[in-house]
Amino acid sequence: MQDPELALATAAAHAAGAVLLRHFEGVFEVETKSSPIDLVTSADRAAEAVVLEALRSVHPDHSFLAEESGLSGHDLKYTVLPGPGELRWVIDPLDGTTNFAHGFPHFCVSLALCDHEGPRLGVIHDPIRGETFIAVRGQGARLERSIRPGRALAVSRAAGMQQALIATGFSYQRATTETDNLAEFCRVVPLVSCVRRAGSAALDLAYVAAGRLDGYWEYHLQPWDVAAGTLLVQEAGGGVRRLDGSAWRLGYADVVAAGPTLLPTLVAELRAARIEAP
């Protein structure tokens, strides 16, 4: 993958990861955003500043959609994807903020460069494990590691639910929304080997791409949570749908991701759970 934009994104993600490591288990400020459980830390903002500086210094003509600072770069009405001929970076400087704030070592930096069709490259960097997941549209996906050799990514070929390891998450709105994911969770748990809830949507998707998880679903996600991860899954041979089974594109807030054999079954069970929910 000899792509200058990928090299830029990887370097920016590594720089942000270094910022996060300097703050982790140290002294940082914690505030709330949309609810008392929706956290932001000074580490989020510091990492985002590093990413934006790195990207803007090379591409001042691009626009940027970042979790903490919003949309910048063009005086346009907010849209997730740019218009034809434009490029936009979608940035999550710290996915897994709640984990980070509690000293739980599972979080990452997620960057995607998007055109009007969706993500064209994605980078998810896990600074704790020294792992960087990368994908370029039409060129596949890879895992690069600081110690062990890297490898190409391929999704699991699990065919059935019984042996599957599935991940999910519960949104900050779970106390006030009908789609709180409880019906879906209760439906899936008895059907699979186990369900994980690790607290980083971006890493969950990266793990599906790597075959570490057989599938993943969640409601109420933001574009920066999933832009890079969905591209990783697709380039690793997997599929991405909405929970009702319809086609997914960046901007939809619900997602199901899995290998091509398991995906229809997982979607069917999730749809059944929603239909039967009281």
Side-chain angles (χ1 to χ4, degrees):
M1 295 183 183
Q2 300 300 317
D3 185 311
E5 308 300 353
L6 180 62
L8 173 64
T10 302
H14 284 194
V19 170
L20 297 180
L21 287 180
R22 287 198 297 271
H23 285 77
F24 187 57
E25 294 186 332
V27 177
F28 51 84
E29 298 176 359
V30 181
E31 301 173 18
T32 60
K33 296 193 291 184
S34 64
S35 75
I37 59 173
D38 183 7
L39 305 181
V40 61
T41 73
S42 53
D44 293 71
R45 296 191 175 104
E48 183 170 294
V50 165
V51 170
L52 289 172
E53 181 179 2
L55 300 180
R56 283 174 173 156
S57 67
V58 178
H59 291 296
D61 55 320
H62 290 181
S63 61
F64 303 86
L65 177 59
E67 179 176 10
E68 306 310 333
S69 57
L71 179 64
S72 61
H74 293 295
D75 186 19
L76 299 172
K77 182 179 178 180
Y78 174 85
T79 57
V80 173
L81 293 173
E86 299 175 353
L87 294 174
R88 175 167 299 160
W89 294 92
V90 179
I91 302 161
D92 193 337
L94 172 50
D95 189 60
T97 298
T98 300
N99 288 347
F100 183 92
H102 288 81
F104 189 87
H106 188 78
F107 53 86
C108 67
V109 182
S110 179
L111 310 178
L113 179 61
C114 302
D115 58 24
H116 70 284
E117 296 180 354
R120 59 190 289 178
L121 70 81
V123 174
I124 293 175
H125 176 56
D126 176 350
I128 291 288
R129 297 174 182 84
E131 294 187 329
T132 306
F133 303 83
I134 61 175
V136 176
R137 187 194 296 158
Q139 298 184 36
R142 284 191 57 80
L143 168 60
E144 302 293 349
R145 294 182 275 209
S146 58
I147 300 176
R148 292 179 291 164
R151 63 178 177 89
L153 297 181
V155 297
S156 160
R157 295 297 170 181
M161 298 281 281
Q162 189 172 20
Q163 299 302 317
L165 179 62
I166 307 292
T168 190
F170 297 88
S171 77
Y172 298 125
Q173 297 95 335
R174 60 185 179 268
T176 57
T177 179
E178 290 185 1
T179 49
D180 58 13
N181 202 24
L182 291 177
E184 291 80 355
F185 181 80
C186 291
R187 173 116 185 167
V188 170
V189 166
L191 302 177
V192 300
S193 175
C194 203
V195 176
R196 296 285 181 259
R197 194 271 190 260
S200 169
L203 281 176
D204 284 342
L205 287 164
Y207 282 17
V208 172
R212 296 174 179 177
L213 291 169
D214 298 299
Y216 162 75
W217 89 90
E218 192 166 347
Y219 287 105
H220 304 292
L221 294 161
Q222 297 292 339
W224 45 79
D225 298 322
V226 296
T230 50
L231 181 64
L232 278 161
V233 171
Q234 292 165 332
E235 289 298 320
V240 181
R241 308 294 289 179
R242 300 192 71 184
L243 270 83
D244 64 4
S246 61
W248 183 91
R249 72 191 302 267
L250 190 63
Y252 290 132
D254 58 299
V255 65
V256 188
T261 309
L262 184 64
L263 183 61
T265 304
L266 180 56
V267 167
E269 295 295 345
L270 293 168
R271 290 181 64 189
R274 180 50 34 201
I275 292 169
E276 296 170 11

